[in-house]
Amino acid sequence: MTAKIVTPEQPINATSETFHRKLTSEVLTEEKKQPWVQLISTFIGTVSAYLNNRVTNTEQLLLTAALIIAALTILKLGFAVLKAINTIPFLSSLLEIIGIAYVSWFICRYLLSAANRQDLALQVKSFKEQIFGTNP
């Protein structure tokens, strides 16, 4: 193996730093003229845009995952409350009787006659308009 001895073209002093800056800028401008440098810069720009898009999608994905976890937690807590209510004597039977009575009243009040069904449809329509607004 042979070692190359590199000698600086200029002595190291205050002007040496200026020379190296000039040399570096000349090298960079020469590289910019080559097509592979443009290819690399295009690749880096594409990767940067892709990663930026992935980060944005990841934020949406994390929000969706958090909402799903929250919904499952609320559902599990709801089932735990219902299970606790069912263990109380007579309370579950009382709630079933109340539910059956309300459903029977609703059927008799709104679903047996055609006029009452139309009134119910109008009430549902006005409620939807209050919530969602009017459709054009």
Side-chain angles (χ1 to χ4, degrees), residues 22-135:
K22 182 179 177 186
L23 182 63
T24 306
S25 66
E26 288 175 3
V27 170
L28 289 177
T29 54
E30 285 296 319
E31 286 179 351
K32 285 184 180 177
K33 293 178 184 177
Q34 296 179 2
W36 62 271
V37 174
Q38 291 176 352
L39 180 67
I40 290 174
S41 65
T42 304
F43 176 74
I44 290 173
T46 305
V47 169
S48 173
Y50 174 76
L51 290 176
N52 188 19
N53 189 19
R54 293 294 290 178
V55 167
T56 304
N57 289 340
T58 303
E59 289 174 358
Q60 293 172 352
L61 180 66
L62 290 176
L63 178 64
T64 304
L67 289 175
I68 289 171
I69 290 170
L72 290 175
T73 304
I74 290 171
L75 191 64
K76 188 169 183 170
L77 286 174
F79 282 133
V81 168
L82 286 176
K83 186 176 179 182
I85 288 173
N86 281 334
T87 60
I88 299 172
F90 301 113
L91 186 60
S92 63
S93 300
L94 178 66
L95 291 176
E96 285 181 22
I97 291 171
I98 291 172
I100 290 170
Y102 183 77
V103 168
S104 300
W105 173 81
F106 186 83
I107 289 171
C108 291
R109 170 70 175 95
Y110 291 109
L111 300 180
L112 289 180
S113 69
N116 291 341
R117 285 193 299 267
Q118 289 176 352
D119 289 341
L120 179 64
L122 289 174
Q123 288 177 356
V124 169
K125 184 178 178 182
S126 71
F127 182 71
K128 283 174 34 178
E129 287 176 357
Q130 288 175 358
I131 299 296
F132 300 113
T134 57
N135 291 334

